[in-house]
Amino acid sequence: MERDKLIAKAKDYLQKENNLHFSKQVETLLAEENWEELNDRFYTDLSFGTGGLRGVIGGGLNRINPYTVRKATQGLANYILKYAPRDKRRVALAYDSRHFSDLFAEQAALVFAGNGIEAHLFTSLRPTPELSYAVRQLNCCSGVMVTASHNPAEYNGYKVYWEDGAQITSPHDTGIITEVRAVSEEINVLSRDEAIERKQLFMIDESVDIPYLNMVIAQSLRPEMVKEKGKDLKVVYTPLHGCGTIPVETALTKMGIQVITVKEQREPDGAFPTVAFPNPEITSAMQMALDYAVREKADLVMGTDPDADRLGIAVPDGDGYTLITGNQLGALLTDYIFFSRTELGTLPPHPAFINTIVTTDLQIKIAESYGAATFKVLTGFKFIGEKMREFEESGSHNYVFGGEESYGFLVENEVRDKDAVSAATMSAEMALWNVAQGRTVLDHLNDIYRRFGYYEESLISQYFKGQSGQDVMASLMTKLRSTPPSTLGGVTVTAFKDYQEGTTRNLVTSELDTDIDLPASNVLQFLLEDGSLITARPSGTEPKIKFYASICGEKGLELTEAKKQVSSKIKAIEKDIMAMMPAS
């Protein structure tokens, strides 16, 4: 960006930012003439995408800060005033343990209040699923969750929900984006005292906490078994410095399950001082919990991310513990939930299971074996929530369970986003049920493989930060579209799906079919001759590109041999994908 324009943008921001912590950063950069850093902070505005905001915390237009939060909220408020019924003009707001989450949530609440929209703000940090629950419980038209989920500590974000408790989808997403982009100067905001005095700001806590936790506990499929044997299950849990501590501990304890929380990671801390990434998908993030488990001889290890919507688990395996992947836990929960409901006679008519296009088909096979209708949606839990709303409006199906490979699961209808709290209680019950059957969770998983075939998945991803990084990712996706690989891992690519165009091209016959009935999305899939599936897509929440490999073992092979065969295939495919990847 030209220096004069850059200086003008920076000075304009300083006029609008009323928080000294953030304005001081920009003033210092101007004084130091740090043009490279200023360019990164001002070359573009922080994008309000289809789910809201996410970015690095700091002063500037390409950062998340009080000003960019207020501007986004004014746009959302304008949309609400245009399209929400007057008697539903109220918004629920929650926030996690990240730096400035409480400040950003309050700033948003005060903008809603300034626009005559009731703001119902939690008094302290709460998990994302409880925000989704609050939107429905309080009959709100919208909700805002301040979180950057499991991103590194320098990030924060702002997720938007609509009246059904799910993250926004079409047409609300594009409509809100249009309104946010149209905000120029005028942002209506009240002080906290004014908002309370005018009855536009309401502080909430136990009025939502208690019914939410009661609802979670009520999801138990075998409450008598849990009541009788729960004390025999020893669980080690880590909230990874997030907001899962109180709800997860409370729910498990009320169910009668003993939980040992990792002391060093129990308290909320936006610096996440004991981990590089506060993500229960990553072994290093779970290491403290695994060490605790060895000392305590735990039956189950669980971890939640900072906003407690993702759950990771580990289970005993010989002398140590094995981390269970999101695809594997989804398969275990699918089998346990559908088996239990079938056995107990509580499976509803027209049962439905939902997962995403990058989540293993093993879960689909399991659900269908119990007579469930199965549905694939685009990546992102908002699309699972959208499908649940369709069921609710049409009466066509009854949602039973759903999830995605990235450790997100939902066992209830009362929430419309992934819920690590209810997933934790259901996972503990599933583990306890296996113990009662005289087997381990790994025994259960291997039994699933014997019944449906061995599946293994791999995720290959690479970060590309800044303006140049976005260009590199776009160039790679363009290249893959125009010249799809003919082989991956030494196996012929037979078909190529482009979810942006809604088409499938047969690479053997060159036939092109318009056969994808899903919203357009920047996703590519490569179908291999042996039935393997490789998916490529830029992340919607982080500056990185992801490749998902899903491989199924050859039918009829003994389990050990199937695992060996699939492992060899994955290594070859990973090698080819890394060779295609530009330098980060």
Side-chain angles (χ1 to χ4, degrees):
M1 181 184 291
E2 294 176 10
R3 192 162 297 176
D4 288 348
K5 290 182 179 178
L6 185 57
I7 293 171
K9 272 198 161 189
K11 288 185 175 180
D12 182 59
Y13 167 76
L14 290 174
Q15 293 294 316
K16 297 171 179 176
E17 180 58 81
N18 59 15
N19 186 285
L20 291 177
H21 174 86
F22 294 92
S23 60
K24 183 68 175 176
Q25 292 178 8
V26 175
E27 289 171 352
T28 300
L29 291 170
L30 284 169
E32 294 173 348
E33 297 186 349
N34 188 338
W35 308 120
E36 183 178 356
E37 178 64 18
L38 281 165
N39 186 69
D40 190 58
R41 290 177 183 237
F42 288 98
Y43 80 88
T44 186
D45 287 4
L46 184 64
S47 174
F48 190 98
T50 54
L53 293 172
R54 186 166 298 193
V56 175
I57 302 166
L61 298 179
N62 188 32
R63 295 290 187 268
I64 189 164
N65 50 58
Y67 170 69
T68 53
V69 165
R70 289 195 303 273
K71 181 182 176 183
T73 306
Q74 183 62 55
L76 176 54
N78 290 345
Y79 186 83
I80 288 170
L81 293 173
K82 284 184 179 180
Y83 298 106
R86 188 174 296 275
D87 63 350
K88 286 198 70 169
R89 289 179 185 170
R90 66 187 67 87
V91 177
L93 301 100
Y95 56 91
D96 69 3
S97 62
R98 287 181 174 272
H99 292 316
F100 302 104
S101 283
D102 54 349
L103 171 65
F104 296 159
E106 183 178 80
Q107 289 288 297
L110 297 177
V111 172
F112 286 126
N115 284 274
I117 299 167
E118 285 184 11
H120 294 255
L121 174 65
F122 278 99
T123 56
S124 61
L125 73 172
R126 294 296 191 283
T128 287
E130 187 171 352
L131 182 276
S132 172
Y133 179 83
V135 170
R136 296 172 63 84
Q137 179 83 353
L138 300 174
N139 194 27
C140 295
C141 66
S142 184
V144 170
M145 180 71 198
V146 177
T147 179
S149 192
H150 57 290
N151 283 179
E154 64 264 29
Y155 284 84
N156 213 325
Y158 176 110
K159 296 201 299 187
V160 180
Y161 293 75
W162 204 239
E163 62 181 351
D164 59 344
Q167 290 186 61
I168 51 172
T169 56
S170 182
H172 302 300
D173 52 2
T174 53
I176 293 168
I177 290 169
T178 299
E179 292 291 344
V180 171
R181 289 176 178 169
V183 175
S184 55
E185 297 298 326
E186 186 176 356
I187 297 176
N188 303 314
V189 60
L190 297 180
S191 70
R192 184 185 179 94
D193 289 343
E194 286 176 319
I196 292 173
E197 184 181 342
R198 296 185 190 183
K199 300 191 184 306
Q200 293 296 315
L201 175 62
F202 299 87
M203 307 308 294
I204 53 175
D205 42 45
E206 288 187 350
S207 62
V208 178
D209 294 340
I210 293 171
Y212 169 71
L213 284 172
N214 287 342
M215 177 276 298
V216 166
I217 293 168
Q219 301 308 310
S220 175
L221 301 175
R222 301 174 187 272
E224 294 304 317
M225 177 199 72
V226 176
K227 184 178 180 181
E228 179 185 349
K229 302 178 183 292
K231 62 183 181 300
D232 298 328
L233 188 78
K234 186 181 287 187
V235 175
V236 165
Y237 166 65
T238 173
L240 295 176
H241 305 289
C243 59
T245 305
I246 292 174
V248 172
E249 287 181 350
T250 302
L252 289 172
T253 301
K254 283 192 172 185
M255 292 175 71
I257 295 170
Q258 57 173 319
V259 55
I260 300 165
T261 303
V262 176
K263 181 181 178 182
E264 297 88 339
Q265 297 173 329
R266 187 178 185 275
E267 295 304 314
D269 188 337
F272 311 116
T274 64
V275 294
F277 294 92
N279 185 351
E281 301 177 46
I282 300 173
T283 303
S284 59
M286 295 287 282
Q287 193 57 55
M288 277 192 176
L290 294 170
D291 293 343
Y292 263 64
V294 171
R295 293 197 300 270
E296 298 289 343
K297 295 182 171 54
D299 301 297
L300 179 65
V301 183
M302 298 196 291
T304 54
D305 64 346
D307 64 322
D309 64 351
R310 283 178 169 84
L311 173 75
I313 75 165
V315 296
D317 183 12
D319 294 331
Y321 288 81
T322 291
L323 287 166
I324 299 296
T325 70
N327 279 306
Q328 291 171 331
L329 181 53
L332 286 161
L333 290 174
T334 301
D335 193 49
Y336 174 67
I337 290 168
F338 277 96
F339 172 81
S340 296
R341 287 196 174 279
T342 300
E343 182 184 60
L344 299 170
T346 59
L347 192 66
H350 310 297
F353 169 84
I354 311 169
N355 72 4
T356 71
I357 59 173
V358 298
T359 304
T360 177
D361 282 345
L362 174 59
Q363 297 168 10
I364 295 288
K365 285 187 175 183
I366 295 168
E368 288 179 347
S369 75
Y370 292 103
T374 59
F375 299 85
K376 285 273 188 183
V377 297
L378 291 176
T379 307
F381 221 91
K382 63 183 180 180
F383 295 111
I384 293 179
E386 181 180 51
K387 184 61 71 173
M388 292 173 72
R389 185 180 72 240
E390 290 176 15
F391 295 162
E392 197 169 55
E393 291 174 349
S394 68
S396 61
H397 295 86
N398 289 295
Y399 175 85
V400 175
F401 181 60
E404 57 186 2
E405 100 302 333
S406 55
Y407 294 62
F409 314 100
L410 183 60
V411 306
E412 71 265 26
N413 271 275
E414 292 85 351
V415 168
R416 297 299 165 90
D417 204 350
K418 48 189 174 284
D419 187 345
V421 183
S422 61
T425 58
M426 189 62 73
S427 294
E429 183 175 313
M430 178 270 294
L432 181 61
W433 174 74
N434 275 297
V435 170
Q437 302 295 309
R439 64 179 185 177
T440 67
V441 171
L442 285 181
D443 290 336
H444 183 184
L445 185 60
N446 286 330
D447 175 62
I448 289 172
Y449 290 145
R450 291 187 186 95
R451 288 154 55 201
F452 300 102
Y454 179 69
Y455 283 73
E456 189 172 330
E457 294 74 34
S458 176
L459 174 62
I460 306 102
S461 60
Q462 190 155 323
Y463 277 87
F464 297 94
K465 294 186 176 182
Q467 184 177 10
S468 61
Q470 295 295 323
D471 295 339
V472 169
M473 288 192 289
S475 176
L476 177 57
M477 292 297 286
T478 298
K479 182 179 178 181
L480 289 172
R481 272 194 174 85
S482 61
T483 314
S486 58
T487 64
L488 283 169
V491 182
T492 300
V493 179
T494 58
F496 164 62
K497 289 179 174 286
D498 187 341
Y499 285 80
Q500 193 75 58
E501 301 296 327
T503 58
T504 301
R505 182 181 296 278
N506 186 314
L507 297 183
V508 178
T509 65
S510 296
E511 292 178 0
L512 184 68
D513 291 326
T514 304
D515 59 354
I516 299 175
D517 186 24
L518 289 172
S521 183
N522 191 17
V523 179
L524 304 175
Q525 283 190 326
F526 307 95
L527 284 71
L528 277 56
E529 191 174 37
D530 64 357
S532 300
L533 179 66
I534 315 300
T535 305
R537 74 175 187 94
S539 171
T541 57
E542 300 172 88
K544 67 181 179 180
I545 194 164
K546 296 181 177 183
F547 286 81
Y548 305 78
S550 180
I551 316 297
C552 180
E554 190 178 312
K555 286 185 178 179
L557 282 182
E558 190 270 332
L559 189 55
T560 302
E561 186 61 30
K563 289 182 178 181
K564 182 178 177 181
Q565 180 195 72
V566 168
S567 177
S568 177
K569 287 183 179 181
I570 285 178
K571 286 178 182 177
I573 288 169
E574 287 177 341
K575 184 178 178 181
D576 281 358
I577 289 173
M578 289 307 299
M580 291 189 297
M581 204 87 77
S584 59

